[in-house]
Amino acid sequence: DAMVIQNPRYQVTQFGKPVTLSCSQTLNHNVMYWYQQKSSQAPKLLFHYYDKDFNNEADTPDNFQSRRPNTSFCFLDIRSPGLGDAAMYLCATSSRLAGGDDTQYFGPGTRLTVL
Amino acid sequence: GNSVTQMEGPVTLSEEAFLTINCTYTATGYPSLFWYVQYPGEGLQLLLKATKADDKGSNKGFEATYRKETTSFHLEKGSVQVSDSAVYFCALNGGATNKLIFGTGTLLAVQP
């Protein structure tokens, strides 16, 4: 089955220690998104890639970076995690940005704990 | 700007009860509308969607109709099960960047 995969499902890191979260997709979608979701809140978009074009949300901290080496993979790098970065991180994909089927499909998420 | 207003939870129901979760939106143009479901510790799963006025999305016994005249997309199910216990998010996509605008989420708890 085509899907969005996130690894690891649970990640523990130390305050200030860089961490990378991984997302891969078998849907061959052009667009990949990263969301941050804190407890009992709606997901918050951090940034997205349309093919190789990177689009950062205005309020995304500089501490968060992303890489997309190819169509299938996208990484979220947190350069110096703080306690406030503990959250669920969700990856999503869509075939296009607008028009047609712009539905976003989500992965299972990575739960990040910062000690 | 675009926004989604969703009824506050938690909603607690007995098994086989009728479910309604209200969702209204504000948007320019003609956004696509979605309901996503999130089970504990999991990511968001697409439950149903509608892309134009009067469309009805349906899946797993859940339904929602895109009502442009009332700017609403209420979620309904005729008979809920314990396994439906989850958080439900209403969302719209109305921009060129495909940014999803979410409601605050509604926690549904179904008791046997």
Side-chain angles (χ1 to χ4, degrees):
Chain A
D1 287 342
M3 57 175 55
V4 182
I5 302 161
Q6 290 189 246
N7 286 306
R9 293 292 309 277
Y10 300 91
Q11 177 73 56
V12 180
T13 190
Q14 292 181 335
F15 183 95
K17 184 175 181 181
V19 66
T20 295
L21 309 182
S22 170
C23 177
S24 63
Q25 52 126 344
T26 61
L27 297 161
N28 202 32
H29 280 172
N30 293 324
V31 194
M32 295 186 77
Y33 310 80
W34 280 104
Y35 289 83
Q36 179 192 64
Q37 185 182 28
K38 295 191 175 180
S39 183
S40 303
Q41 296 181 18
K44 177 180 180 296
L45 182 64
L46 296 173
F47 27 58
H48 75 270
Y49 271 97
Y50 179 67
D51 290 335
K52 294 185 177 181
D53 292 335
F54 177 71
N55 294 272
N56 201 28
E57 291 297 299
D59 57 355
T60 297
D62 293 341
N63 198 26
F64 292 87
Q65 305 285 321
S66 187
R67 295 170 285 134
R68 189 179 186 187
N70 54 53
T71 300
S72 300
F73 284 86
C74 194
F75 300 99
L76 170 62
D77 301 309
I78 308 177
R79 294 192 297 185
S80 181
L83 298 179
D85 297 327
M88 174 78 91
Y89 289 88
L90 299 167
C91 176
T93 74
S94 68
S95 61
R96 54 192 304 164
L97 285 177
D101 185 3
D102 51 10
T103 304
Q104 292 187 29
Y105 298 91
F106 286 79
T110 295
R111 170 75 64 189
L112 178 68
T113 300
V114 182
L115 301 177
Chain B
N2 295 343
S3 66
V4 174
T5 302
Q6 192 174 337
M7 70 185 284
E8 294 283 334
V11 173
T12 304
L13 296 173
S14 297
E15 206 164 22
E16 299 184 2
F18 184 85
L19 168 71
T20 300
I21 301 178
N22 290 336
C23 173
T24 57
Y25 68 90
T26 302
T28 55
Y30 303 94
S32 298
L33 300 174
F34 306 88
W35 278 100
Y36 285 90
V37 58
Q38 186 172 34
Y39 299 99
E42 298 291 325
L44 273 67
Q45 297 179 25
L46 177 68
L47 182 58
L48 52 84
K49 68 178 183 181
T51 58
K52 61 183 187 297
D54 300 325
D55 268 1
K56 177 187 283 188
S58 61
N59 186 26
K60 299 181 181 179
F62 291 90
E63 293 183 341
T65 300
Y66 191 143
R67 302 284 189 199
K68 190 161 178 64
E69 65 275 13
T70 54
T71 61
S72 64
F73 193 54
H74 304 321
L75 182 68
E76 296 182 337
K77 186 176 185 183
S79 176
V80 293
Q81 305 300 312
V82 172
S83 57
D84 294 327
S85 298
V87 178
Y88 292 81
F89 288 98
C90 184
L92 70 81
N93 164 18
T97 60
N98 203 19
K99 180 176 179 178
L100 280 175
I101 307 299
F102 288 95
T104 53
T106 301
L107 173 63
L108 171 65
V110 181
Q111 298 175 338

